[in-house]
Amino acid sequence: MSSIVLLIVCAFAAGVSANNVDCTLDQDNGCKATCDDRTVLDISSLLSYPYKIIVDDSKYFTYSPCNGLECGALSGITVCLNSQDNCGSTDSSTWTLTNNNPLTFTVEYSCGIGTECTSSVFTFMQNDDNETKVTYAELHNDAYQFQVTGKCVGQMDCVEEPPSQPSDGHKKESVIGPAGLVLTILFFVALLIYFIAGALVMKYHKGATGKELIPNYLFWSELPFLVKDGCLFVIFPCRKRKGYEAI
């Protein structure tokens, strides 16, 4: 009985230690914090900052946690409402790890001393969605509440799945196709020039008439039969034909 109680107490203690862990903010990077000496949270590349969070037609927030931004007469502000009101400061953020699986943590941006503003709380939660989404929830406990969800929320080594790429066959077709078309057009243009120029030479230089105007007439007249014989030889290589000497 005592062993069972001990296991329950240990499990409860482990669960508590995994939740609500305060994190230490990186002094050189306002988008990075370390929790329980093991978990490193990094939102530097999570979004394209400054990020605009639209609430409605007349209300939006601008979020810039790494470097801050200018908000009205103030600078270095993390969250700014409609580019006028101060909502939080990068120098006074508190990070808390609340769950490891799924990874969940909160970042609270409070107001600086002597500054009139409204605090902001961002809750980051990992899910299976490749796209990172940021939504405004409500004004609660005198703080603006935001929710951030996505597959790579806060993970340094997470890689989003790239969009599906065409197979190698499609890639080669897109590259070789136009080149082959150009070569085919050039071939027929050169062939046309050959016949026209050859006919003019045969007529005005050699005085040829009729079918003799075709340059190399004997070759072109025998070409269909040569092609036929070549095809038959490929299909029936061992068949004897008249007109060919034995090898």
Side-chain angles (χ1 to χ4, degrees), residues 104-246:
T104 307
F105 60 97
T106 62
V107 182
E108 180 179 356
Y109 302 98
S110 56
C111 301
I113 299 176
T115 304
E116 294 183 1
C117 70
T118 303
S119 300
S120 300
V121 178
F122 284 76
T123 300
F124 296 80
M125 180 176 292
Q126 181 187 11
N127 59 17
D128 295 330
D129 195 349
N130 283 324
E131 181 183 359
T132 302
K133 299 179 181 178
V134 185
T135 57
Y136 167 72
E138 59 182 346
L139 177 61
H140 180 66
N141 293 335
D142 296 327
Y144 293 112
Q145 305 289 329
F146 299 89
Q147 293 181 350
V148 185
T149 57
K151 179 180 179 181
C152 294
V153 168
Q155 301 171 82
M156 297 179 61
D157 57 349
C158 180
V159 179
E160 293 184 2
E161 296 180 3
S164 58
Q165 298 291 337
S167 61
D168 293 340
H170 290 290
K171 291 181 180 179
K172 292 180 180 179
E173 181 181 355
S174 62
V175 175
I176 298 177
L181 180 61
V182 171
L183 290 176
T184 302
I185 294 175
L186 291 177
F187 170 77
F188 283 106
V189 170
L191 192 65
L192 182 62
I193 295 175
Y194 165 79
F195 279 110
I196 294 176
L200 293 176
V201 170
M202 295 297 292
K203 179 177 181 179
Y204 293 104
H205 184 67
K206 296 185 177 181
T209 57
K211 61 184 179 180
E212 294 180 354
L213 290 173
I214 302 174
N216 298 316
Y217 169 74
L218 292 178
F219 168 77
W220 292 109
S221 61
E222 294 179 358
L223 181 62
F225 301 100
L226 295 175
V227 173
K228 176 184 176 182
D229 290 342
C231 294
L232 291 175
F233 183 79
V234 171
I235 298 173
F236 306 105
C238 298
R239 183 178 178 181
K240 292 184 179 180
R241 298 178 180 82
K242 296 180 179 180
Y244 288 94
E245 296 181 359

